[in-house]
Amino acid sequence: AQTVTQSQPEMSVQEAETVTLSCTYDTSESNYYLFWYKQPPSRQMILVIRQEAYKQQNATENRFSVNFQKAAKSFSLKISDSQLGDTAMYFCAFIPGTASKLTFGTGTRLQVTL
Amino acid sequence: GAVVSQHPSRVICKSGTSVKIECRSLDFQATTMFWYRQFPKKSLMLMATSNEGSKATYEQGVEKDKFLINHASLTLSTLTVTSAHPEDSSFYICSARDEAGEGDEQFFGPGTRLTVL
């Protein structure tokens, strides 16, 4: 069974600063996808960024980038130039290439302050 | 990105009644949809996988007779909470898999807050 671990229940960052959210996972699969989802107070789940395991290059989406360490089974999210609108719960998620069920981590609550 | 809607966004019902929640993929077809339950400040817990034209697959510990799922078309799945009780109060979220998309991406509905009195 796959597991996803987010060891930081809460984090805080000042506006314009950079913050890194950690995520580790455990799987025996060789092909899989990793995601970071954002859930703001509205509770709408929003995809932030995705990474295919077979791609060595770290994914980036504007201010969001990941540090994907396949051997270490680590998938951290870096948010640069943090904005107040980044305040949300962030969930790391995993899906094997052979299945379609997402496994979510427990989430990290990020608060961006002035 | 693809859009998934849910209706209603919130519902309050009396104990013992049944409540139906709809999940629609608006601009794509989805043979597979998923139903999640989320408790306050917790992660999403997968309840079941809804398969168009066939029976849903329920996760361990989820009562299939309590949470009825119907996926009658490629754009609609429904979750019916039967004989609801206060402990069924929760936030229910659906997602739909866009098979034409990349990486098995799932698109999420805005959720339904159910309160059982």
Side-chain angles (χ1 to χ4, degrees):
Chain A
Q2 290 82 22
T3 59
V4 179
T5 302
Q6 293 179 250
S7 58
Q8 305 151 314
E10 295 186 2
M11 292 194 72
S12 181
V13 63
Q14 284 193 319
E15 197 177 20
E17 296 296 308
T18 296
V19 64
T20 299
L21 309 183
S22 66
C23 172
T24 58
Y25 58 95
D26 189 23
T27 184
S28 58
E29 301 276 345
S30 58
N31 185 30
Y32 49 87
Y33 300 90
L34 293 159
F35 305 87
W36 277 98
Y37 282 92
K38 168 185 177 180
Q39 189 179 42
S42 68
R43 303 192 77 170
Q44 171 73 59
M45 294 287 285
I46 301 166
L47 177 65
V48 174
I49 199 165
R50 79 146 68 79
Q51 175 81 43
E52 290 91 337
Y54 63 86
K55 288 187 177 180
Q56 293 186 338
Q57 188 171 9
N58 289 324
T60 63
E61 285 288 343
N62 301 313
R63 297 182 295 108
F64 300 88
S65 61
V66 298
N67 184 3
F68 174 48
Q69 301 290 328
K70 190 172 184 178
K73 295 181 180 174
S74 171
F75 183 61
S76 61
L77 174 69
K78 185 172 82 172
I79 305 174
S80 303
D81 186 26
S82 297
Q83 300 176 358
L84 294 177
D86 295 334
T87 293
M89 279 288 287
Y90 286 81
F91 294 100
C92 179
F94 168 98
I95 190 167
T98 55
S100 56
K101 291 197 295 186
L102 273 170
T103 300
F104 284 94
T106 52
T108 296
R109 182 173 301 278
L110 177 67
Q111 180 72 47
V112 180
T113 59
L114 290 170
Chain B
V3 178
V4 174
S5 69
Q6 264 183 258
H7 178 79
S9 57
R10 57 177 62 209
V11 57
I12 301 172
C13 69
K14 293 182 179 180
S15 186
T17 62
S18 295
V19 174
K20 180 185 286 188
I21 303 170
E22 292 185 348
C23 178
R24 292 182 187 273
S25 58
L26 297 185
D27 49 3
F28 66 100
Q29 294 183 332
T31 58
T32 307
M33 293 185 176
F34 303 88
W35 287 96
Y36 298 86
R37 182 172 180 175
Q38 187 179 30
F39 292 101
K41 299 185 179 181
K42 298 293 184 182
S43 188
L44 280 71
M45 180 189 76
L46 180 65
M47 299 175 64
T49 302
S50 174
N51 305 296
E52 189 267 337
S54 64
K55 292 182 179 180
T57 305
Y58 290 82
E59 294 301 301
Q60 192 173 10
V62 178
E63 300 176 59
K64 61 180 181 180
D65 294 331
K66 175 128 184 101
F67 298 99
L68 298 179
I69 290 172
N70 184 273
H71 194 152
S73 79
L74 288 172
T75 59
L76 173 64
S77 174
T78 60
L79 169 68
T80 301
V81 183
T82 62
S83 187
H85 288 96
E87 57 266 30
D88 298 325
S89 297
S90 193
F91 193 68
Y92 293 88
I93 303 174
C94 73
S95 72
R97 182 179 162 211
D98 182 2
E99 283 120 21
E102 296 181 6
D104 259 7
E105 184 172 349
Q106 293 184 22
F107 297 91
F108 288 82
T112 297
R113 182 179 302 281
L114 170 64
T115 302
V116 184
L117 302 176

